[in-house]
Amino acid sequence: MKCAAVVLAAGRGRRMNLDTAKQFIKIKGFPLLYYSLKAFQESFIDEIVLVVSKNETDYCREEIVDKYGFDKVSVITEGGKERYHSVACGLRVLRPDTDYVFIHDSARPNIREEILKRTFDTVVRYGSAIVSVPVKDTIKTADDEGFVTGTPPRSSVYIIQTPQAFEYQAIKKAYEALLQKEDELTAQGVRITDDAMVMERFGDKRVKLCEGSYTNIKVTTPEDIELIKLYL
Ligand code: CTP
Ligand code: MG
């Protein structure tokens, strides 16, 4: 069984408000991206594809991949404008005999072996596995003017994290279909924010949740820095 990871590091980290893209900021002496690569390197994953911004390929190879000996990284490729473009770039370079692909945001550095194992067990059993935790707060939906339009029952709402794992051919096909329909979706104002959405809309597999962790946070805004230092 062949498992690959697509690690996304082609964003700009605008909500972080720093000059450096967040995947390269130093946390406890290492760039943020180091932690996800290390987790996959030390796991059962056979191959890692790293997706980075234009002109950052050499930097990532020299200063991260080679420097820390991440020899499971087989390809460092350039991403695109939106996250889903970057995922599509990563999926395209994987070998056709890949069985399962784990798509992961490098902005989530605190992934542990037990999460990867649970994701693996779930994807083998159901064909998909997205890491999630139950919401602790009450969730409301609201309209553009800030008036509440509904309250989904708390037991039916989850916070979705990464990794998100799928059968490789199935998610690849779903992404190709998404790219065909991209203009239509943009016109409808639909924003694709995770991989499961692509499977839900364009794939032929149901998406299965599996248990993540409340400490598997995505470093997104400045206050996340102190938290992630604590968790790591
Ligand atoms: N990502 C990517 N390619 C893009 C956009 C995002 O590879 N075109 C990656 C980011 O590097 C990050 C992950 O997708 O690891 C999750 O995205 P997000 O947290 O939104 O990161 P950024 O897009 O970098 O941040 P922001 O939205 O604040 O600009
Ligand atoms: Mg973003």
Side-chain angles (χ1 to χ4, degrees):
M1 196 129 24
K2 203 165 155 322
C3 292
V6 169
V7 175
L8 300 170
R12 290 268 51 100
R14 290 203 173 79
R15 285 169 287 178
M16 216 56 205
N17 262 322
L18 295 172
D19 293 334
T20 319
K22 64 186 177 186
Q23 55 271 29
F24 304 126
I25 55 175
K26 289 270 167 73
I27 305 285
K28 298 183 118 186
F30 297 99
L32 195 73
L33 169 59
Y34 160 91
Y35 293 97
S36 327
L37 292 177
K38 182 166 184 279
F40 285 115
Q41 172 76 30
E42 291 174 352
S43 76
F44 54 84
I45 292 285
D46 302 295
E47 179 186 6
I48 305 167
V49 168
L50 174 59
V51 187
V52 301
S53 293
K54 203 169 178 336
N55 304 326
E56 279 170 355
T57 316
D58 290 346
Y59 172 81
C60 288
R61 180 174 298 109
E62 286 156 27
E63 293 304 316
I64 300 176
V65 173
D66 290 352
K67 182 165 171 181
Y68 299 109
F70 295 138
D71 58 11
K72 286 188 182 175
V73 176
S74 58
V75 184
I76 304 176
T77 189
E78 276 178 19
K81 186 162 175 286
E82 300 294 334
R83 182 188 181 280
Y84 64 86
H85 294 127
S86 297
V87 176
C89 293
L91 292 175
R92 269 188 210 127
V93 301
L94 280 172
R95 277 186 273 266
D97 66 342
T98 304
D99 294 295
Y100 298 106
V101 60
F102 290 56
I103 303 169
H104 183 65
D105 294 338
S106 66
R108 282 186 203 275
N110 195 29
I111 38 164
R112 300 298 167 101
E113 178 79 26
E114 62 265 23
I115 291 187
L116 294 180
K117 290 285 284 291
R118 277 201 294 271
T119 311
F120 176 78
D121 291 343
T122 308
V123 74
V124 169
R125 184 144 179 220
Y126 298 99
S128 68
I130 67 168
V131 167
S132 64
V133 286
V135 295
K136 297 181 189 180
D137 300 311
T138 295
I139 300 293
K140 302 270 184 207
T141 52
D143 63 19
D144 292 345
E145 275 126 43
F147 288 103
V148 169
T149 54
T151 309
R154 198 166 57 195
S155 60
S156 75
V157 187
Y158 292 83
I159 293 168
I160 302 305
Q161 308 178 334
T162 67
Q164 299 193 354
F166 304 90
E167 286 171 5
Y168 172 56
Q169 289 300 339
I171 193 70
K172 187 162 181 275
K173 252 189 238 150
Y175 262 93
E176 296 303 336
L178 158 70
L179 293 180
Q180 296 281 318
K181 292 268 161 92
E182 192 182 358
D183 294 342
E184 222 168 281
L185 286 180
T186 312
Q188 290 165 13
V190 177
R191 285 200 59 209
I192 301 287
T193 51
D194 78 340
D195 311 297
M197 266 184 95
V198 182
M199 183 56 88
E200 289 156 42
R201 281 173 174 265
F202 300 102
D204 52 7
K205 290 268 161 12
R206 288 201 298 165
V207 175
K208 184 81 167 100
L209 300 178
C210 81
E211 189 191 340
S213 158
Y214 289 104
T215 68
N216 180 25
I217 63 163
K218 181 159 71 71
V219 175
T220 307
T221 51
E223 62 274 12
D224 295 330
I225 296 286
E226 289 312 310
L227 262 184
I228 200 64
K229 280 185 191 160
L230 199 73
Y231 291 149
L232 286 169

